[in-house]
Amino acid sequence: MADSGAQKSRPIRCLVVDDERMNREVVIANLRAAGYETVAAEDGQQAWLTANAAPDDFDVILLDRRMPRMDGMELLAKLKGDDRLRHIPVIMQTAQASAEDVVEGIKAGVYYYLAKPLDRKLLLSVTAAAIEEHQRFLRLRDDVARRTTAIILMDEGVFRFRTLAEANNLAVSLARACPRSSHLVVGLSEIFTNAIEHGNLGITFEEKAQLLAEKRWRKQVDALLDAPQNRDKRVTVTFRRLACEVRITVRDEGKGFDWRRYMELDQARAFAVHGRGIAMARQLSFDSLEYQDPGNQVTCVIRVGDGDLAGQPCGALSVAEEAPRSAAVAALAGAAPAAANDEMAVARSMQAELLPPQAELAWLARRYGVHVTGFFETSCSLGGDIWGLDPLDDHRFILWLADFSGHGVTAALNTFRLHTLLEHTTEDRDRPAVFLSELNQRLIGLLPKGQYATMLYGVVDVRERRFTYAAAAAPRPVVAIPGQPAVPGDGSGLPLGVARSALYVERSLDLPPGSVLFLASDALPESPSETGKKLGQGGVADLVAEVVSARAGQVDVDAILAPFLATVARPLRDDLTAVCCRMAD
Amino acid sequence: MKYEITDDETGPTLMLRDQLTFADREVFDNVIDKLLARQRRVVAVDLSALDYMDSAGLGMLLTLRDRAERVGADVVLRRPRSEVRELLVLACFDTLFKIEHG
């Protein structure tokens, strides 16, 4: 385990706060098995006393939301209000996480929200990410503390840098010139890094998520920095100390970006396991961030606290200073769009990872002779749809598609829940009606009131040439053979997560040689075209039959959806997911 | 969504018009408050003038049902038409609600 440069002598330590002994012990056992030290507290009050007595002793706090005496939110507020403790990442755990709870927690500074029952793998990966961020914070803080320089006397200055190393170096120096420098350095380092990679080098947020996932990010940045078109690009930083605040303006040579689009996406932080530095920085570092069009310039504002320059008039001076160029300036208290977007990209890629990868589809084609293609497009940045498949034996595989009510973060959280549930439900997988009933029972405990899922779950049997399925208020599955009208199935059934007593019916469709089985979420029948027309259930069956006839042996999901996508407005009003299975001739 | 609430001897009736979709969640929550504040045993929802409902609309009806259940009231859905009716059939809502056709 990596030790922090700041505290080489101390092992990594987690504070686990939960009033229920069983829960506490499960978490502690998992963390100890991963090599961390743990300290337990039975409620918020006890946790507060423990943390307060030894503020430098902890790298992460795992906190139950509901507890007697002092509950999780109350403790969180106290921690975030204390300069010695606010940098410790807090992972909140709760059994009943409504979207409002999650958003409230994030706004209050929660690093990550974990739903109970506990997912061991997720617990460990989130904890590891939180610790890593905290260690990075400690290292940077240490650098700041060591640097004694006359820069503290600086009132105004202009700096230029090109590389990541220069960026970090400057962040440490400038932070030193400000109040609360140890908190500031992480934020400055993030903003400077953004200016290089997204600004000067033009790496998109999606590309960065991809590069991070492939562990190629640093290498790619170095390669791009050396490219002829980038060699002369610099990031310019101006530092100004005003009466009541310090303003650090960062300008890159990139094209900028549409920062307004990212103002409301901070809910997505609930998902990002990695790349949390910016979120932490934003909470810890700046009083506000002001982006200027076209988005390649941002000003970080750090208010000078009471102790620093007490009694000096605030406001008037800085407003006058900034007035000439402020037409498009928006003060975004505590919001860093680049940060939110970065994490959104990570969340998106996490969600995409839930879907069957190309390699698995290729393998499926070889094993079963079934050509499967899938389509997934969300209306918001995150979707409430998910589909999947899994082999059962040498002639059968399961295929399913689910759609959670609502859009965005709430619905997306539920897709993660479902994915986990399905991975842990191994019985009766070949009996669709029984399986759906069981899944329904489990979801009832997990889904907040008013949220539910529609789902089609079935078994493709290539020997019997049959699709046996059960449905929970899903759009009809459709089977089509070239030159014939499509055969629609029946998707009726109670939605999942609504009634404990729900029972499902087993149905089946024949899959003759060369036939196509097509599943889609309700965005396909329900989305109006630009002229206001909807396909409807019948229209979907006709569309599939038409394309299958026209393309015969070559049909895939993109071919089937192409006529629909050509007429509908983007972004879609609802998440669209579709799967096309083409049987061997 | 447009709505009006009328009262007669059997209890309140919520008349829904146009569409019931994702965008109506907040308004619908307030409407539920108003309906349940009347403290009657039966709450009726007249769907005869509702042209379209999406999956979020189903969720809102479920929320109404849950909250009514908690105060001991039944929800009756009346006269759903065309697409709305199809959606209720698809979701087997007849097993959750009393649905009056005709």
Side-chain angles (χ1 to χ4, degrees):
Chain A
M1 207 146 301
D3 266 339
S4 88
Q7 322 210 350
K8 279 197 173 56
S9 56
R10 176 169 77 66
I12 288 171
R13 196 173 293 132
C14 319
L15 178 59
V16 180
V17 195
D18 198 320
D19 58 311
E20 285 177 46
R21 191 174 58 88
M22 277 296 290
N23 292 341
R24 214 164 51 225
E25 283 175 2
V26 169
V27 172
I28 286 175
N30 277 305
L31 294 177
R32 290 214 172 135
Y36 306 124
E37 276 195 9
T38 57
V39 173
E42 289 178 18
D43 58 35
Q45 185 68 36
Q46 198 184 356
W48 173 245
L49 294 174
T50 307
N52 220 355
D56 290 325
D57 266 15
F58 298 100
D59 291 289
V60 62
I61 298 174
L62 288 108
L63 183 57
D64 184 32
R65 182 164 173 138
R66 288 177 225 290
M67 290 180 299
R69 294 220 287 167
M70 188 191 293
D71 79 356
M73 288 304 292
E74 207 181 328
L75 175 60
L76 181 69
K78 289 187 83 132
L79 291 168
K80 294 299 165 192
D82 187 312
D83 251 7
R84 298 165 309 137
L85 297 167
R86 63 199 296 213
H87 53 78
I88 305 175
V90 174
I91 298 169
M92 189 84 101
Q93 290 178 276
T94 184
Q96 291 271 322
S98 72
E100 291 75 26
D101 286 351
V102 175
V103 172
E104 186 195 7
I106 288 165
K107 282 192 176 146
V110 160
Y111 177 83
Y112 199 92
Y113 229 100
L114 281 178
K116 288 180 179 177
L118 207 61
D119 178 329
R120 196 182 146 272
K121 242 168 90 182
L122 192 59
L123 168 74
L124 292 180
S125 72
V126 168
T127 307
I131 290 170
E132 196 183 304
E133 289 295 337
H134 188 242
Q135 299 269 316
R136 177 170 169 232
F137 166 80
L138 291 179
R139 278 194 300 277
L140 284 166
R141 186 176 72 171
D142 207 32
D143 285 350
V144 174
R146 272 204 296 263
R147 191 151 325 183
T148 48
T149 145
I151 204 162
I152 199 162
L153 305 172
M154 180 174 68
D155 273 343
E156 212 168 307
V158 179
F159 304 83
R160 291 201 168 77
F161 64 83
R162 195 178 82 87
T163 66
L164 291 174
E166 290 166 355
N168 267 332
N169 204 350
L170 182 63
V172 170
S173 293
L174 288 189
R176 195 72 182 86
C178 301
R180 301 194 302 281
S181 52
S182 60
H183 296 302
L184 193 62
V185 62
V186 180
L188 283 178
S189 146
E190 293 290 349
I191 297 284
F192 290 176
T193 305
N194 279 348
I196 295 177
E197 58 186 13
H198 299 313
N200 284 358
L201 303 184
I203 300 172
T204 66
F205 298 105
E206 286 76 13
E207 284 164 357
K208 180 171 182 188
Q210 179 81 18
L211 289 168
L212 281 174
E214 294 167 4
K215 303 202 187 326
R216 291 196 299 122
W217 172 70
R218 188 68 195 233
K219 229 172 154 180
Q220 179 68 6
V221 169
D222 287 343
L224 283 171
L225 278 170
D226 272 347
Q229 74 271 23
N230 295 327
R231 243 174 251 163
D232 296 329
K233 287 186 185 166
R234 297 286 186 278
V235 176
T236 306
V237 176
T238 32
F239 177 101
R240 310 183 81 179
R241 192 191 305 273
L242 303 173
C244 62
E245 61 193 20
V246 172
R247 302 180 69 87
I248 299 175
T249 300
V250 185
R251 174 194 275 280
D252 61 57
E253 296 181 38
K255 290 195 292 276
F257 73 109
D258 184 9
W259 47 271
R260 286 179 189 80
R261 272 176 59 206
Y262 305 110
M263 292 302 103
E264 286 168 29
L265 295 183
D266 61 329
Q267 293 185 18
R269 285 191 282 147
F271 288 108
V273 178
H274 306 289
R276 301 300 303 250
I278 309 170
M280 202 159 139
R282 185 195 324 171
Q283 279 158 20
L284 296 173
S285 298
F286 308 122
D287 291 299
S288 71
L289 276 175
E290 300 169 359
Y291 274 83
Q292 277 148 267
D293 284 327
N296 68 339
Q297 181 169 317
V298 60
T299 299
C300 316
V301 180
I302 305 106
R303 297 229 158 74
V304 175
D306 295 331
D308 299 291
L309 284 163
Q312 294 212 19
C314 258
L317 176 56
S318 63
V319 169
E321 290 275 335
E322 295 303 310
R325 56 179 172 124
S326 65
V329 173
L332 312 162
N341 192 32
D342 244 2
E343 290 172 357
M344 186 55 92
V346 175
R348 285 175 71 125
S349 75
M350 279 176 69
Q351 187 164 45
E353 274 170 29
L354 298 183
L355 303 174
Q358 270 309 317
E360 190 174 355
L361 299 183
W363 177 84
L364 206 81
R366 285 197 302 277
R367 183 166 184 192
Y368 300 102
V370 181
H371 180 260
V372 181
T373 44
F375 179 93
F376 178 75
E377 183 174 317
T378 60
S379 58
C380 317
S381 294
L382 293 167
D385 288 1
I386 183 171
W387 72 279
L389 39 75
D390 216 5
L392 271 179
D393 51 32
D394 64 347
H395 61 105
R396 296 182 304 167
F397 64 91
I398 54 177
L399 173 69
W400 54 273
L401 192 156
D403 178 356
F404 282 88
S405 55
H407 316 285
V409 175
T410 320
L413 266 174
N414 288 331
T415 66
F416 283 80
R417 284 188 175 124
L418 180 69
H419 191 262
T420 310
L421 258 189
L422 284 171
E423 278 196 337
H424 292 102
T425 311
T426 47
E427 278 173 43
D428 296 312
R429 292 204 305 168
D430 57 344
R431 301 163 68 200
V434 177
F435 188 87
L436 267 199
S437 302
E438 282 170 11
L439 196 59
N440 173 58
Q441 302 271 351
R442 289 171 184 236
L443 275 175
I444 278 180
L446 283 177
L447 290 183
K449 288 272 182 223
Q451 292 178 27
Y452 64 88
T454 68
M455 187 170 188
L456 197 106
Y457 177 97
V459 175
V460 175
D461 187 330
V462 292
R463 197 165 68 195
E464 301 293 322
R465 299 190 181 284
R466 185 170 297 140
F467 180 54
T468 309
Y469 67 96
R476 301 167 182 172
V478 173
V479 174
I481 309 169
Q484 294 183 23
V487 181
D490 181 348
S492 64
L494 270 173
L496 297 175
V498 169
R500 198 168 285 281
S501 58
L503 289 175
Y504 296 90
V505 186
E506 195 159 294
R507 304 178 178 121
S508 71
L509 284 164
D510 288 334
L511 298 173
S515 63
V516 165
L517 168 65
F518 181 80
L519 314 180
S521 61
D522 66 352
L524 184 57
E526 302 282 324
S527 299
S529 71
E530 275 170 339
T531 56
K533 278 192 187 156
K534 292 178 200 162
L535 272 179
Q537 295 275 357
V540 171
D542 292 345
L543 171 69
V544 176
E546 244 168 65
V547 178
V548 167
S549 294
R551 305 284 292 253
Q554 293 303 314
V555 72
D556 62 14
V557 76
D558 291 333
I560 292 175
L561 293 178
F564 165 78
L565 292 173
T567 63
V568 76
R570 300 299 237 305
L572 298 169
R573 287 211 316 199
D574 191 7
D575 309 325
L576 173 60
T577 300
V579 184
C580 169
C581 298
R582 195 176 74 225
M583 303 298 133
D585 287 327
Chain B
M1 166 188 113
K2 293 202 188 91
Y3 75 94
E4 67 192 82
I5 299 174
T6 53
D7 294 276
D8 61 24
E9 63 278 8
T10 61
T13 297
L14 169 66
M15 180 84 182
L16 293 176
R17 289 179 205 280
D18 299 340
Q19 309 196 344
L20 185 62
T21 66
F22 193 69
D24 301 314
R25 283 162 306 160
E26 279 179 32
V27 179
F28 199 82
D29 262 352
N30 294 333
V31 171
I32 294 178
D33 291 339
K34 286 185 195 167
L35 285 171
L36 299 182
R38 286 158 158 86
Q39 302 189 329
R40 302 295 298 263
R41 294 291 304 278
V42 177
V43 172
V45 183
D46 189 325
L47 301 169
S48 60
L50 191 67
D51 303 321
Y52 175 73
M53 179 163 73
D54 69 1
S55 58
L58 286 179
M60 288 179 244
L61 291 181
L62 290 172
T63 305
L64 169 60
R65 177 175 173 271
D66 282 334
R67 292 188 47 195
E69 217 165 51
R70 257 182 270 158
V71 297
D74 286 327
V75 179
V76 179
L77 305 182
R78 286 198 184 127
R79 296 186 294 164
R81 287 187 303 115
S82 56
E83 278 186 57
V84 174
R85 184 170 179 158
E86 281 171 31
L87 188 61
L88 294 178
V89 170
L90 178 73
C92 292
F93 265 37
D94 56 333
T95 63
L96 299 175
F97 294 86
K98 187 173 176 199
I99 301 183
E100 294 176 356
H101 297 280

